[in-house]
Amino acid sequence: MKELRDIVKAFDIADKNGKQTALATVVHVEGSSYRRAGARMLITDDGQLTGAISGGCLEGDALRKARLVMAQNKPMLVTYDTTDDDDAKLGVGLGCNGIIHILIEPISALKPDNPIQLFKLFLSKRERVVLITLFTLNNKQAPQPGTCLLLTQNEDIKGMFPDDAIKDMLLADAKDVLVNGNSVTKTYIYGDKFTCFIELLQPTVSLVIFGAGNDAIPLAQLAGVLGWHVHIVDGRSNYAIPERFPTVQKIIMAKPESALAQIVIDERTVIILMTHNYNYDLSVLKQLLPLQLPYVGALGPKKRLQRMLDELKDEEMEITAEQLASVYGPAGLDIGSENADEIALSILAEMQAVLKNRTGTSLRYKSVIHNRVPEQIITQTMN
């Protein structure tokens, strides 16, 4: 969600300085592309770009079209067919071998439910939401409603339905995405065809680092680059200080028994135990296992972690297979890490892989990088 936060920040600065802005969103991809549906970029009238919709090949042409969108104050759907050799002649030359559909819409601060306001609403809370972007794929000259609606976890609706005829079906599909967690693209046929990108947005990853030693510093720094929220927890007052961790969101100096009460833990929270204090890590692990988090990592050799688990079992604590499945020790992917910086990279890579349900395999061994099945358009005909 770092990209969305950067876009919101850039918009506020541009608006304060009286600049016009437009939002470019990748709404659908056929075949291969550098960015997938949901990639966004904010464009100002003086050419400042925040975010990305490609590897840098589309941005120049998108800027030219965005200026036209700002001048006409009307959204535009643009299609780049990178399977066509003529793209190279036009100066696009992506070489992605795919078709990329990008919606460019003007942003007005006077409109209460403009996309930026919907982004702000999402970023203000740690909960998943569904964002709805509507466009007409089969007729680029037709009105393009754009980013128009947000459904919260409590099923509150922010924004407006552009067409009451598809309201019930669209809302039902949005609720389904909210529950099942898979973004979809659907075309609703009712007179005209409306294609809708129903997108699940999830909160920023929250990384809790138990341990404020020197090896925690690069881990916190790298997580900050990814835009993750970082919490540092340690019982040593001379280690858990802002001077050592200037970029983290929260520093907690506490004993293991009281630390968790000071942290908001949810399904987007990942944890690493690296205090180098066996009893501290053991006490925290005992509290974490029942929470069934996506990732709990333990620094150090496997026998150290196994000893902890054996001690907890000796205390008659029931540890299920599901709980053990979320414990990773030694933490990190096997990339030959030696120093603290390399170990930090290894741990974050493993966390990212777990959160995305990937194995961390080298891409050279994969014939397809992304599973495109969820991005295929489903057609819904309405009577």
Side-chain angles (χ1 to χ4, degrees):
M1 289 302 108
K2 181 177 184 296
E3 190 168 70
L4 280 187
R5 291 203 304 270
D6 290 343
I7 285 173
V8 167
K9 181 179 179 180
F11 173 82
D12 285 341
I13 294 173
D15 184 53
K16 181 179 180 181
N17 293 328
K19 297 179 182 179
Q20 287 184 294
T21 57
L23 180 70
T25 305
V26 178
V27 290
H28 185 56
V29 172
E30 303 170 56
S32 177
S33 71
Y34 185 79
R35 297 296 306 272
R36 305 177 71 180
R40 292 179 173 86
M41 179 174 71
L42 186 77
I43 305 164
T44 64
D45 54 9
D46 62 350
Q48 295 182 19
L49 309 177
T50 304
I53 53 173
S54 75
C57 304
L58 289 181
E59 277 67 8
D61 189 70
L63 170 59
R64 289 188 289 272
K65 289 184 170 61
R67 283 174 170 155
L68 179 61
V69 165
M70 293 179 218
Q72 297 179 342
N73 194 33
K74 185 175 70 172
M76 175 190 299
L77 185 66
V78 183
T79 297
Y80 297 95
D81 186 351
T82 65
T83 64
D84 190 342
D85 291 337
D86 285 342
D87 273 338
K89 298 175 185 177
L90 294 172
V92 178
L94 289 173
C96 292
N97 198 32
I99 301 174
I100 306 158
H101 303 279
I102 297 175
L103 182 69
I104 305 175
E105 50 191 319
I107 307 298
S108 170
L110 300 177
K111 184 180 177 182
D113 294 321
N114 69 66
I116 301 300
Q117 293 305 316
L118 297 180
F119 297 163
K120 288 181 177 180
L121 177 62
F122 161 62
L123 294 170
S124 67
K125 300 178 181 179
R126 281 196 62 82
E127 64 178 39
R128 58 168 57 186
V129 302
V130 170
L131 187 68
I132 294 174
T133 304
L134 205 63
F135 51 99
T136 305
L137 194 60
N138 67 313
N139 183 5
K140 296 183 180 63
Q141 304 307 316
Q144 306 290 340
T147 308
C148 56
L149 201 69
L150 184 142
L151 180 69
T152 71
Q153 196 162 301
N154 295 326
E155 297 189 358
D156 293 329
I157 300 171
K158 306 297 180 182
M160 296 181 61
F161 285 95
D163 193 310
D164 287 338
I166 64 172
K167 177 179 178 180
D168 292 340
M169 185 63 69
L170 183 55
L171 184 58
D173 289 333
K175 290 179 179 178
D176 182 70
V177 168
L178 189 63
V179 172
N180 295 319
N182 292 317
S183 300
V184 298
T185 302
K186 298 193 71 170
T187 292
Y188 303 91
I189 301 177
Y190 186 87
D192 294 329
K193 290 183 179 180
F194 290 100
T195 302
C196 184
F197 178 41
I198 309 173
E199 178 186 10
L200 179 73
L201 298 179
Q202 299 202 70
T204 299
V205 177
S206 176
L207 169 62
V208 183
I209 304 174
F210 282 91
N214 291 341
D215 53 354
I217 294 175
L219 183 60
Q221 291 173 336
L222 287 177
V225 171
L226 294 176
W228 293 7
H229 288 170
V230 182
H231 297 68
I232 298 290
V233 185
D234 202 301
R236 299 168 292 182
S237 58
N238 59 327
Y239 278 76
I241 54 176
E243 289 79 8
R244 288 171 57 79
F245 301 94
T247 62
V248 306
Q249 276 64 42
K250 190 174 184 179
I251 298 176
I252 300 170
M253 205 281 288
K255 295 180 178 180
E257 296 79 12
S258 60
L260 289 185
Q262 303 180 54
I263 306 169
V264 176
I265 294 179
D266 55 31
E267 61 182 7
R268 297 281 287 171
T269 302
V270 291
I271 292 179
I272 181 70
L273 305 176
M274 52 191 307
T275 66
H276 302 281
N277 181 314
Y278 180 86
N279 290 327
Y280 196 110
D281 286 353
L282 176 64
S283 178
V284 174
L285 181 62
K286 181 178 182 179
Q287 300 171 70
L288 291 175
L289 283 172
L291 301 181
Q292 199 63 58
L293 297 172
Y295 183 101
V296 176
L299 203 65
K302 182 173 290 187
K303 62 181 181 181
R304 182 177 185 269
L305 173 59
Q306 190 58 55
R307 179 185 167 191
M308 290 184 192
L309 295 171
D310 290 342
E311 283 196 33
L312 294 178
K313 289 177 183 178
D314 289 342
E315 296 176 10
E316 297 186 353
M317 178 179 180
E318 183 179 354
I319 302 176
T320 66
E322 289 77 13
Q323 292 171 347
L324 285 176
S326 65
V327 178
Y328 293 79
L333 297 182
D334 183 7
I335 59 173
S337 302
E338 294 290 343
N339 58 43
D341 294 338
E342 294 169 351
I343 292 171
L345 176 63
S346 169
I347 292 172
L348 285 177
E350 184 176 52
M351 289 176 172
Q352 172 73 5
V354 169
L355 289 170
K356 294 289 187 178
N357 196 28
R358 299 299 179 93
T359 62
T361 304
S362 174
L363 293 178
R364 69 179 294 180
Y365 300 118
K366 301 191 67 175
S367 58
V368 177
I369 297 176
H370 298 298
N371 177 16
R372 296 295 185 186
V373 173
E375 298 176 6
Q376 295 176 359
I377 296 178
I378 302 170
T379 301
Q380 179 74 45
T381 302
M382 303 176 63
N383 297 322

